[in-house]
Amino acid sequence: MTPLALKFIESHPGEAAAILERADFSETCGLVSALTPELAAGLVARLLPDTAAECLRALPARSAAAL
């Protein structure tokens, strides 16, 4: 992940979540799993509930618990 993408997610998590809602589900979950737990939690909290739940289910249990 590029530093610019990370900065965008840090600075604009709501906008990042809105963009990810339109992305491929596997890409969204892949991005969430690549983030630190703190950043991922802020992003997942802003996803639509169904998307957030599915993404959490797709993560390993330890990663999902960290969020």
Side-chain angles (χ1 to χ4, degrees):
M1 180 172 317
T2 68
L4 181 60
L6 283 173
K7 189 64 174 172
F8 181 75
I9 293 167
E10 288 175 6
S11 301
H12 307 283
E15 290 178 38
I19 291 168
L20 290 173
E21 287 290 342
R22 297 186 300 267
D24 180 71
F25 178 75
S26 63
E27 290 178 17
T28 299
C29 289
L31 180 114
V32 168
S33 68
L35 296 172
T36 64
E38 294 80 16
L39 253 180
L43 186 60
V44 169
R46 288 166 176 85
L47 291 171
L48 293 175
D50 289 345
T51 304
E54 288 299 319
C55 201
L56 289 173
R57 273 194 279 271
L59 292 173
R62 183 174 282 225
S63 296
L67 299 182

